[in-house]
Amino acid sequence: MTRWNRALSALVAVGALAATGACTLFGGEGDDSPAPGGEDAITDEAGLAELINENNRLIAEVNDVEVRLEQDCLEDQGFHVHDRYKLFTWEATDQGRLVVDYPYADFLPDADTASEWGFGAWAGTDEAYGSAEADEYYDAVLGEDNTEPEIDNSAWDALPIEEQQDWSRAYYGDAYEQIQEGADGMNPFGGETAGSPPKPGGCQLEMIEALYGEPEQVERTEGDDGQGGTTWQWGPQNPLDAADWDAMYDDYRTRAADPEQSFSDCLFEHDLGEWEFDESGRLPIWDYFTWVYNAESPQFAEETGESLGTPPLPEDLPEDFDGRKAFEIETAVGFTDCGESTGFREAAKAAWDGIQLDYYLSVEQELFSYQEAMNDLLLKAQELVDA
């Protein structure tokens, strides 16, 4: 048994349990749970959320397999210090409900948050960032959402640049030199920029071939830059990655049109200015308060409300930070009051919840198929362990 086989045995055992648990939860032999796609298929938010949570757990487990394969390959070549930002593992966190974010979230805090913290824009300013008050805000309002995985990459950072380059050559193989030369501006994973990335090589390719077979070169969807090109893909493709968010936002704007108008009218009537919703139903509140807190900066001196889709700055805008923070809080309270008095929050929430539920129901069968494929990958990993 190789180093990787020994290290992975426990992981695959967990994956096998996950596969068994999935069958028990969502339908399979020996229980009366609804089978995917049948007459009793999942129709409620909680069931769909748990389906997505289970898939996320499997994604994390398969990611662990990938990293262990790559690390074993590198260590077989004598590399025992690794770039942990490349060999990154993560733990899936369950979401309690299907919808965890809303288009209005940035500009419509709850009443208590608005009265104490405003929109929170002040916490990111030079005057406040890193302060005890800003940390208290982030902990109180964002909670776990504000935590980032802690990655200790100090051992890698301490390596001479030549050793880092040798490691990268082993990881990427022949693709490394092309990446260094720019490869038409692409990164090795096929980001949303012009051109096409090189085929994966080295230990990355060894991992891909062990788990998925040969990577496939495919035409990529044009990004915001209008550029096409190709990219490389491997493994089961998560159906959620193909979601048409533009269509969902269009639907949302249609359903929320009247509540949006009532909300905008309320803001204007309460001297909070004229605001323009963007194509996804958001207001440029962060652009506006970046401008507020940097009004004297040469970088923002030529900014206008017209270009931002916001009101102009008030003529009596305070000159000091505390005064501008008070203005932010006052504005947030006004937004919250209008959100409640016009029924906008309730109507917008119902519209987005309905759109999201419809979407996830439409891809339910694909989500089950994806889950089955990910479970098959973990079984394949078990076969590698037993070989």
Side-chain angles (χ1 to χ4, degrees), residues 108-312:
L108 204 60
D110 63 65
D112 290 340
T113 299
S115 62
E116 184 170 4
W117 308 108
F119 299 107
W122 59 270
T125 63
D126 291 340
E127 293 87 347
Y129 187 75
S131 68
E133 188 177 14
D135 289 343
E136 182 183 358
Y137 161 73
Y138 287 129
D139 290 341
V141 177
L142 301 182
E144 292 184 359
D145 291 339
N146 189 45
T147 60
E148 297 181 358
E150 295 183 4
I151 300 176
D152 182 4
N153 217 26
S154 56
W156 168 265
D157 293 336
L159 288 178
I161 185 63
E162 294 80 8
E163 293 185 29
Q164 293 182 358
Q165 291 173 337
D166 289 342
W167 185 97
S168 296
R169 287 188 181 92
Y171 180 81
Y172 291 116
D174 294 339
Y176 177 72
E177 304 303 334
Q178 298 178 58
I179 294 166
Q180 290 297 95
E181 293 171 2
D184 295 328
M186 291 294 292
N187 67 60
F189 307 103
E192 293 293 327
T193 54
S196 301
K199 180 181 178 179
C203 288
Q204 185 186 32
L205 180 60
E206 185 172 312
M207 175 277 294
I208 293 169
E209 290 176 335
L211 281 178
Y212 308 112
E214 277 292 311
E216 180 184 7
Q217 190 173 28
V218 297
E219 294 293 327
R220 56 186 286 270
T221 303
E222 292 187 0
D224 294 337
D225 54 15
Q227 301 294 327
T230 62
T231 188
W232 295 90
Q233 69 179 31
W234 50 87
Q237 301 300 300
N238 191 336
L240 299 184
D241 291 340
D244 188 346
W245 287 96
D246 289 341
M248 283 191 275
Y249 284 130
D250 286 345
D251 190 6
Y252 169 74
R253 295 300 309 287
T254 298
R255 298 191 193 189
D258 289 342
E260 282 183 354
Q261 187 61 57
S262 297
F263 179 71
S264 296
D265 290 345
C266 179
L267 295 179
F268 183 76
E269 291 166 3
H270 288 79
D271 296 325
L272 294 169
E274 294 186 73
W275 293 80
E276 297 177 15
F277 286 93
D278 68 13
E279 64 277 0
S280 61
R282 293 175 167 84
L283 294 178
I285 199 74
W286 292 100
D287 292 334
Y288 181 69
F289 278 100
T290 298
W291 184 27
V292 165
Y293 287 109
N294 296 276
E296 292 81 19
S297 169
Q299 180 182 354
F300 297 91
E302 303 301 321
E303 197 68 86
T304 68
E306 183 177 358
S307 65
L308 294 175
T310 73

